[in-house]
Amino acid sequence: GDTPLGDIKEIKIKDLPDFTVLAASTPCQSFSAQGKRKGLKDSRGRLIHEVLRIVDGKKPQVVFIENVEGMANIHNGRDL
């Protein structure tokens, strides 16, 4: 019954209802060993910043972010 709000880059914090748990998954191609591993140099990889923008704005009590293998250590950990 939920209706998507659209492109995460377009969502305004003020338009989101309050919530206590946020679960997010970003496209894996930017980080995965199966992809080109461009990390934040790939626009898909930078979508993690949109998730963090919402976390910062809404301050949920719990945040789950899918850990794509390689996400935390790509480019020697400099990306994240």
Side-chain angles (χ1 to χ4, degrees):
D2 290 337
T3 302
L5 296 176
D7 187 332
I8 192 170
K9 296 177 289 187
E10 310 277 328
I11 294 173
K12 293 177 178 42
I13 299 295
K14 65 179 179 70
D15 293 339
L16 293 172
D18 290 336
F19 53 87
T20 57
V21 177
L22 179 131
S25 177
T26 62
C28 65
Q29 298 93 329
S30 304
F31 304 101
S32 171
Q34 299 302 315
K36 295 183 180 179
R37 296 192 46 85
K38 290 184 175 184
L40 297 180
K41 293 177 183 174
D42 184 331
S43 62
R44 297 170 296 186
R46 290 190 299 273
L47 290 174
I48 189 68
H49 291 291
E50 298 299 327
V51 173
L52 298 175
R53 175 180 64 86
I54 292 171
V55 169
D56 187 49
K58 296 305 283 186
K59 309 276 193 267
Q61 293 176 6
V62 178
V63 177
F64 292 101
I65 298 176
E66 178 186 15
N67 179 25
V68 175
E69 186 175 348
M71 186 177 209
N73 62 10
I74 192 167
H75 299 131
N76 294 319
R78 290 186 309 267
D79 277 14
L80 300 178

